[in-house]
Amino acid sequence: MAMSVGEGGGDDAPMGEMNTTPLIDVMLVLLIMFIITIPIQTHAVKLDMPQQTNQPPPPEQTEKPVIHRVEVDFLGQIYWDGQPIDLATATEYFRQAANQPNQPEIHIRPDAMAKYEIVDEVLAAAQTVGVTKMGFVGNEAYAE
């Protein structure tokens, strides 16, 4: 009893090859699923976490920190504690603040219609002279 596997076999002859189409379909679906899910699993957000030290926390400050308010209006005018100044004067004020032993806080409040370019120049001036205690205030006015 031999199996006829030739090309000239009839309809009642057994087929000698396996149908691989369903196997290929399943493999393609699995491949697509892996391609979609692997980038999500390997996505990571890099954070600089504070390192553990055995030093005691700094003592509480009894005096309030000095705060300077820098504002930029929609016309591009810069204000230092309510007084209009230009960018060169703002840079000098930032330099003086950065050179103090206990740096004052700089609160920046740009107007909603202020040009980003002017605000960027103010931030760059503060960064280049070494101001470290700086933050944006008044953002809650723009929250939806």
Side-chain angles (χ1 to χ4, degrees):
M1 295 194 81
M3 183 158 61
S4 139
V5 199
E7 288 184 25
D11 287 340
D12 57 347
M15 192 155 76
E17 58 188 60
M18 181 176 160
N19 186 5
T20 57
T21 304
L23 177 65
I24 293 173
D25 290 344
V26 169
M27 295 303 287
L28 285 174
V29 168
L30 287 174
L31 179 65
I32 291 172
M33 301 258 313
F34 283 132
I35 289 173
I36 292 172
T37 59
I38 286 177
I40 294 172
Q41 293 174 353
T42 58
H43 178 71
V45 176
K46 305 267 187 230
L47 294 176
D48 292 330
M49 300 300 290
Q51 301 296 324
Q52 181 179 4
T53 61
N54 292 331
Q55 298 174 356
E60 296 268 338
Q61 291 183 353
T62 56
E63 61 187 52
K64 289 185 175 183
V66 177
I67 297 173
H68 293 293
R69 288 173 177 79
V70 177
E71 298 178 18
V72 179
D73 67 4
F74 67 96
L75 296 174
Q77 179 64 50
I78 304 167
Y79 295 91
W80 180 275
D81 290 334
Q83 300 297 320
I85 58 172
D86 60 351
L87 185 61
T89 308
T91 304
E92 185 56 36
Y93 286 164
F94 287 140
R95 183 175 284 111
Q96 291 172 5
N99 290 335
Q100 293 180 8
N102 189 9
Q103 274 194 22
E105 294 180 10
I106 308 293
H107 291 182
I108 297 180
R109 180 183 214 134
D111 187 77
M113 300 298 290
K115 291 184 179 179
Y116 177 76
E117 181 179 334
I118 304 297
V119 177
D120 183 47
E121 289 173 355
V122 171
L123 292 174
Q127 182 183 13
T128 55
V129 297
V131 173
T132 57
K133 294 183 178 181
M134 183 171 36
F136 285 93
V137 295
N139 292 342
E140 60 274 359
Y142 309 123
E144 295 178 318

